[in-house]
Amino acid sequence: MIVSARAYDPRMLSIDTAQRRARLATRHRLAPSARSNEPVDIARSMVVLHATDPATVYLSVGARGIDLAPADVEKVLYDDRALIRLLAMRRTMFVAPTELLPVLQASTCDALAHKQRRTYGRYIEQAGVVDGDVSTWLADVEAETHAALLARGTATGVQLSKDVPRLRTQINTAPGKSYSKPTSITTWVLVVLGAEGRIVRGRPNGSWTSSQYTWAPVETWLPQGFSPLPAAEARVELVRQWLYAFGPAPITDLKWWTGWTLGEARKALAELDTVEVDLDGTPGLILADDLTPVPTPEPWAALLPALDPTPMGWQSRDWFLGPHAPALFDTNGNIGPSIWADGRIVGGWAQRPDGEVVTRLLEDVDTATRKLIDAETARTTTWFGDTRAIPRFRTPLQRELTT
């Protein structure tokens, strides 16, 4: 709780690990009393849901939901369109509340589109496959692709490449290298158009675990459109929401989560009323109007999926991860499925090919906590039903549990 001050600085409040875990349980809707029956509210609580692995979105909602099923998530994504899938911070795929789109577009996506177009243009120029100005050529291909999608209504990348022959242009990004493999520019163009907010990822071709999506023009997917924001204003709002969901936290965590420079993060923070606090010897920041301690919730447990937004919300994770990183993370820094109890990670889990959800504790827990974990395992098994999710990456513990 926020109860003590550093001896050497009476102005700096101290927030201990117990209070951070209480906030995590409540703000992230993991304690049973904080769970929701509304997928959009769950997404708002996390700012965004991590979506690199399509199954993560559904499992993250399921872990925080009450009497929800995958069909409820599909409805808000593709019928209500109250959630939207997009490439944003750190060039990572997320699902966000649609009302947050103007903030993400101005704070992150516009800069991402510019960076990706410049990168892809350089590859095309180096390949020497275009006569004349590459930027003009690429802009023409983008416009033609957008027009083709407007004509179709919805389409896959393969379908669009048939309508727009230049999408089939082959580029070798690493000529002469053993790992080199020519690739068409279809995905590149769709990434740029998506980052610019001109097209939207629609329904997948398959179940909720599929990563093969159709595309739709934003004009038909969101006919009401959205009002653009100044980039600086959008960054401030994104930081405000992140601090409420993940604060208190060091500025380095904010820099990592947003993918911005330290200067950009500090500039956005300067527009907010924040308080510096002591996090067990590390300085952190919290919104000035968020100093009231969050009550400790009832005992709880959760099975969170790989790349869930809770563990991926911070770069400094010792206060909830403990010594379990070697078992739960792959070499690229991706966390696998994790078991949580009262604000800390205590183990991991996996789904076997036959559908069984298996768990392994990495530290001792009491009998009551074990019962809570068993109940969450049963909930996760019910959520999967007959669906089998193939992991996009594998961690050491996940490998052990499935072999």
Side-chain angles (χ1 to χ4, degrees):
M1 297 174 61
I2 309 173
V3 293
S4 62
R6 283 182 168 181
Y8 58 85
D9 186 353
R11 297 168 299 176
M12 184 176 288
L13 297 172
S14 176
I15 298 182
D16 64 16
T17 296
Q19 173 59 196
R20 296 184 78 184
R21 290 176 177 175
R23 287 170 178 263
L24 180 156
T26 303
R27 302 279 170 90
H28 292 197
R29 297 186 180 276
L30 292 172
S33 59
R35 291 174 184 169
S36 172
N37 234 349
E38 299 294 336
V40 179
D41 286 344
I42 291 171
R44 290 189 186 111
S45 299
M46 305 308 302
V47 187
V48 290
L49 300 173
H50 208 296
T52 298
D53 187 333
T56 297
V57 175
Y58 291 80
L59 293 167
S60 293
V61 170
R64 297 167 171 85
I66 305 170
D67 298 327
L68 292 174
D72 298 306
V73 185
E74 291 178 341
K75 180 177 182 296
V76 296
L77 267 168
Y78 306 122
D79 295 331
D80 303 341
R81 298 177 184 177
L83 296 177
I84 190 168
R85 189 181 304 272
L86 76 169
L87 208 63
M89 290 73 69
R90 309 186 311 279
R91 199 184 177 278
T92 298
M93 190 68 66
F94 294 98
V95 162
T98 301
E99 77 258 12
L100 191 62
L101 181 56
V103 170
L104 294 172
Q105 190 66 50
S107 68
T108 306
C109 299
D110 286 341
L112 174 61
H114 176 74
K115 180 179 180 180
Q116 294 304 127
R117 180 181 287 112
R118 186 175 55 194
T119 298
Y120 298 148
R122 185 168 62 250
Y123 285 138
I124 294 169
E125 186 174 18
Q126 291 171 351
V129 298
V130 173
D131 293 328
D133 181 67
V134 169
S135 296
T136 300
W137 183 87
L138 189 53
D140 288 345
V141 176
E142 291 168 7
E144 190 178 353
T145 302
H146 183 234
L149 189 56
L150 278 169
R152 278 185 174 267
T154 61
T156 64
V158 171
Q159 290 170 327
L160 289 170
S161 68
K162 293 178 180 178
D163 296 343
V164 184
R166 286 188 290 181
L167 286 176
R168 301 195 295 271
T169 302
Q170 295 286 307
I171 303 295
N172 190 338
T173 60
K177 302 293 185 180
S178 59
Y179 55 82
S180 174
K181 182 180 180 181
T183 183
S184 77
I185 68 168
T186 301
T187 299
W188 294 358
V189 171
L190 295 176
V191 164
V192 171
L193 288 173
E196 283 189 331
R198 296 166 67 185
I199 65 175
V200 177
R201 289 168 179 81
R203 289 185 182 274
N205 292 324
S207 75
W208 52 270
T209 64
S210 173
S211 59
Q212 301 297 318
Y213 296 97
T214 56
W215 293 86
V218 71
E219 294 91 335
T220 60
W221 192 262
L222 299 174
Q224 75 279 10
F226 63 89
S227 300
L229 291 175
E233 178 182 336
R235 289 195 186 102
V236 172
E237 177 58 19
L238 188 62
V239 169
R240 186 192 67 77
Q241 292 197 25
W242 183 85
L243 272 178
Y244 183 80
F246 295 93
I251 189 175
T252 50
D253 284 357
L254 172 64
K255 173 185 178 296
W256 175 82
W257 186 86
T258 58
W260 301 340
T261 66
L262 188 58
E264 288 170 333
R266 283 175 171 161
K267 188 174 182 180
L269 282 166
E271 299 300 316
L272 292 168
D273 189 5
T274 61
V275 174
E276 187 176 34
V277 295
D278 171 31
L279 305 175
D280 293 327
T282 299
L285 293 170
I286 190 171
L287 294 170
D289 60 359
D290 190 28
L291 294 174
T292 301
V294 171
T296 300
E298 70 277 25
W300 62 274
L303 267 63
L304 298 186
L307 296 175
D308 183 85
T310 289
M312 295 302 293
W314 297 272
Q315 186 181 39
S316 49
R317 305 180 176 104
D318 288 348
W319 60 279
F320 62 79
L321 178 60
H324 306 314
L328 295 175
F329 280 77
D330 71 1
T331 56
N332 293 318
N334 300 312
I335 190 171
S338 55
I339 300 174
W340 291 67
D342 300 327
R344 71 191 193 282
I345 292 178
V346 298
W349 64 275
Q351 184 194 42
R352 287 180 172 162
D354 64 0
E356 181 186 7
V357 174
V358 290
T359 63
R360 179 177 297 172
L361 293 177
L362 298 174
E363 59 184 66
D364 293 334
V365 300
D366 59 29
T367 301
T369 300
R370 177 74 256 191
K371 289 181 178 179
L372 291 172
I373 293 171
D374 289 344
E376 292 304 305
T377 302
R379 282 212 317 143
T380 303
T381 301
T382 299
W383 183 272
F384 273 115
D386 294 331
T387 300
R388 305 291 178 264
I390 300 175
R392 295 290 294 270
F393 61 91
R394 302 188 73 186
T395 58
L397 183 57
Q398 194 272 341
R399 288 179 184 275
E400 290 180 22
L401 291 174
T402 55
T403 55

